[in-house]
Amino acid sequence: MNASDVRGAARKVRDNPATGFLARLGYAASGVLHILLGIIAARIAWFRTGGSADQSGAFATLRNEPLGAVALAVLTLGFAGLAVWQVSTAVGAARGAGDRLKAAGKAVVYGALTWTGARFLLGRPSSSRGQSEDFTAKLMAEPGGRIAVGAVGVVVLVIALFHVYKGWSGRFRRDLARDPGRFVTAAGHVGYVAKGVALGVLGALFVTAATQDRPTRAGGLDAALRTLGQQPFGSVLLTVVAVGLVAYGVYCFGRARSTDT
């Protein structure tokens, strides 16, 4: 099988109606995840409770609800479908190296969410913060590890800035096949900027971990949001980000409905 055959097979997978349905389910699952993250962040801001403000915390919150295992299974299936769709896009449909790299990166993200969801379903939950710290510690133990961790932080900061730009400029509308309406569009503006802020703090923590040689500084999204909450007027800042995360979740639902995947 040559490269052309591989691309053709990938396009067939991508264009399959079942794959498209699962991809839309994945976008809806992302909406649920971000809304849960926003709720947890708001609880931390005002009540100093709410569990871990990251993917693991959101999965744990959902798992403990009535019919939570069923809901978690549906979300995990959606993330798996979206990961497959992104892989098939990267291999068979993306135009240019930049688009292929972007699709491949998203496939990794959704694949990781699938893995995390599956572990919760099997009764073997994991901690996103612990995984981030372990990854950072192992990387920093290697030759040139601190430089690598710092580079990860810089990459995350660049992604954060792009999210802010995408939300502020409305560029996210290019991802949609049709107009989602004013409400979803407004949610996209707010949601992308807020997610960019959260990612910016996360990137800064990786850079700090590298410069101070302290892996525990890179604690993942939960550490980033809690760091934001510890700043002057932190409760207000964290509340704004929490509202933004919920808005991003609303946008994800709109994307599930307003995209041809």
Side-chain angles (χ1 to χ4, degrees):
M1 179 178 290
N2 56 35
S4 179
D5 292 334
V6 172
R7 288 193 294 269
R11 283 193 292 269
K12 288 182 179 179
V13 172
R14 182 181 184 274
D15 296 337
N16 189 292
T19 306
F21 169 77
L22 290 175
R24 286 189 287 272
L25 180 62
Y27 282 124
S30 183
V32 172
L33 180 67
H34 282 86
I35 289 173
L36 288 173
L37 286 174
I39 293 172
I40 295 172
R43 288 177 179 173
I44 292 173
W46 296 104
F47 304 108
R48 305 304 176 190
T49 60
S52 182
D54 53 23
Q55 294 87 345
S56 295
F59 282 134
T61 299
L62 184 62
R63 181 67 177 82
N64 293 330
E65 295 298 319
L67 298 178
V70 176
L72 185 55
V74 173
L75 261 64
T76 302
L77 178 63
F79 287 134
L82 194 48
V84 170
W85 188 83
Q86 293 290 354
V87 169
S88 62
T89 298
V91 175
R95 297 180 179 179
D99 288 341
R100 286 194 292 271
L101 184 61
K102 180 180 177 182
K106 289 182 177 181
V108 171
V109 171
Y110 292 122
L113 288 172
T114 302
W115 173 256
T116 302
R119 288 184 64 88
F120 272 87
L121 283 171
L122 295 173
R124 293 182 291 180
S126 58
S127 168
S128 297
R129 178 166 186 161
Q131 290 175 348
S132 178
E133 291 178 356
D134 290 344
F135 164 78
T136 306
K138 290 178 181 178
L139 186 57
M140 291 179 69
E142 299 295 327
R146 291 179 63 181
I147 295 176
V149 170
V152 169
V154 171
V155 170
V156 174
L157 284 171
V158 171
I159 294 173
L161 288 173
F162 182 70
H163 271 70
V164 173
Y165 164 72
K166 197 171 183 178
W168 189 267
S169 66
R171 181 170 174 166
F172 61 86
R173 285 176 288 189
R174 299 182 184 180
D175 298 329
L176 307 175
R178 58 188 66 88
D179 185 0
R182 292 183 178 179
F183 181 73
V184 172
T185 299
H189 282 292
V190 175
Y192 265 101
V193 172
K195 189 171 181 179
V197 171
L199 289 174
V201 178
L202 177 59
L205 289 179
F206 271 98
V207 173
T208 301
T211 56
Q212 297 183 358
D213 196 16
R214 296 177 62 183
T216 55
R217 288 287 187 180
L221 182 60
D222 177 67
L225 293 177
R226 291 181 186 275
T227 298
L228 187 63
Q230 293 167 2
Q231 306 308 306
F233 304 103
S235 294
V236 176
L237 291 173
L238 190 51
T239 299
V240 172
V241 172
V243 171
L245 290 172
V246 172
Y248 188 85
V250 171
Y251 165 76
C252 288
F253 282 113
R255 182 167 186 180
R257 183 174 57 86
S258 303
T259 184
D260 290 334
T261 57

